[in-house]
Amino acid sequence: MTPMTQAKEELYLRRVFNDDVPVFVDVTRYARRELPYPLSAKKALKATCGVRTDNEIVAFSLRHYTVRQAEREVEHVEDEGQNLLRPRMPRKTLHDLIETARALSSVLGDELIAELDGRLYVLRLTRAADGSTLELVGALTEGEDGYVRSEITGDRFELPVSGVRLRMFLRSPVRDRVLAYAFGGYLARRPGETETVGRAVASALNSLLGLATFRMLSGMNRVETADRSHEPVAFAVPVLLFTADGTPAARGDVAGRSISTTSTR
């Protein structure tokens, strides 16, 4: 007999108090009762995170806000002299995330699977007390007989103007659960610049590690990435040639090109 699925929903708000470090605040009761949540200032809103837990999967949906987005999202009520946010549970995002997590659970293993622009990437996750490390090791494609793993041919992408939409799936080392995480927002680099998949995933994970539930379930406290992230750079070196007796013979530029090396960011 199939056990009954027991689900729990929570909603968190990442905000700042008195221009201090952003922290996650539980606003579940505000969302359930459809009550507005008061903020000292519109810019105090940094992100919202919906969480849904069942017998197999814990899903997280994090949405980052820019200052301009926060201005539109938060209502200023003149009569009460307050800034009010109406928290909403991102149920559709969480539902889609859980469905994908179930489909990937059979091939997940001990690695992390990331989805970006419809493509699936496999990253090796190494946990350590001083920080966890990610390394891109392959790709997944869905075929008639399931998912097929292949070598990665490229890991760079251009950051879109509308922000990054990234989904990640991994197994919890402390609970018998799959962790599914949807990230929406902006990374450290600006739209139009290029980024690597590994760095994007690490940045998204670090954005959620401030939430105690995710930090405990993931077994991580900080994430870095080891990848070949340096693109070859062309440059010119001025050269002056001399004869055996020291007389200048020729001058010009020699073209050079840097070599990509593996680095830890």
Side-chain angles (χ1 to χ4, degrees):
M1 188 174 179
T2 304
M4 183 180 296
T5 299
Q6 296 182 349
K8 176 184 178 183
E9 289 185 341
E10 299 167 285
L11 186 64
Y12 294 88
L13 178 75
R14 190 163 75 185
R15 58 158 300 177
V16 292
F17 293 91
N18 300 322
D19 296 327
D20 205 348
V21 178
V23 296
F24 281 98
V25 178
D26 189 343
V27 295
T28 306
R29 70 181 183 91
Y30 289 88
R32 286 176 180 169
R33 300 178 184 178
E34 298 184 355
L35 297 173
Y37 178 83
L39 290 165
S40 55
K42 291 186 176 184
K43 65 179 181 180
L45 173 64
K46 299 300 179 184
T48 55
C49 183
V51 184
R52 190 178 192 277
T53 305
D54 64 27
N55 299 340
E56 300 174 344
I57 297 167
V58 185
F60 302 84
S61 175
L62 180 73
R63 179 189 175 188
H64 265 285
Y65 291 92
T66 64
V67 174
R68 184 173 297 179
Q69 289 170 340
E71 285 280 343
R72 294 196 299 264
E73 195 75 14
V74 180
E75 176 188 1
H76 179 71
V77 181
E78 290 285 352
D79 295 343
E80 301 179 15
Q82 286 186 318
N83 300 293
L84 302 177
L85 172 71
R86 300 186 183 278
R88 295 182 296 273
M89 186 69 67
R91 288 192 173 90
K92 185 181 186 307
T93 300
L94 290 170
H95 174 77
D96 294 343
L97 191 61
I98 289 169
E99 289 299 306
T100 304
R102 295 194 198 283
L104 291 173
S105 61
S106 61
V107 295
L108 191 54
D110 295 328
E111 295 169 314
L112 181 147
I113 295 176
E115 182 187 53
L116 176 67
D117 295 333
R119 297 179 180 177
L120 294 173
Y121 300 88
V122 182
L123 298 98
R124 181 182 297 118
L125 174 60
T126 304
R127 293 180 175 87
D130 59 346
S132 302
T133 303
L134 283 173
E135 181 182 2
L136 187 63
V137 294
L140 283 180
T141 54
E142 187 176 7
E144 294 181 358
D145 299 325
Y147 290 95
V148 179
R149 185 160 171 169
S150 61
E151 293 184 359
I152 192 70
T153 56
D155 69 336
R156 286 187 171 271
F157 67 99
E158 184 176 302
L159 292 170
V161 175
S162 59
V164 175
R165 300 291 182 268
L166 184 63
R167 303 202 299 178
M168 292 142 278
F169 307 89
L170 66 155
R171 291 192 181 277
S172 170
V174 296
R175 293 285 189 275
D176 185 19
R177 298 286 191 280
V178 171
L179 306 182
Y181 170 29
F183 170 89
Y186 293 87
L187 304 176
R189 298 189 178 189
R190 296 180 179 179
E193 296 183 342
T194 59
E195 184 58 284
T196 66
V197 172
R199 278 201 306 255
V201 172
S203 179
L205 289 171
N206 286 326
S207 294
L208 191 56
L209 286 174
L211 184 62
T213 303
F214 183 74
R215 187 170 63 251
M216 183 273 291
L217 290 173
S218 67
M220 297 182 287
N221 54 28
R222 189 182 74 257
V223 184
E224 297 177 342
T225 177
D227 59 20
R228 293 175 176 81
S229 57
H230 296 292
E231 293 181 325
V233 178
F235 56 92
V237 179
V239 174
L240 181 62
L241 300 178
F242 296 85
T243 62
D245 61 0
T247 303
R251 71 172 62 222
D253 293 333
V254 174
R257 193 172 178 84
S258 66
I259 300 175
S260 294
T261 58
T262 302
S263 64
T264 301
R265 293 295 180 97

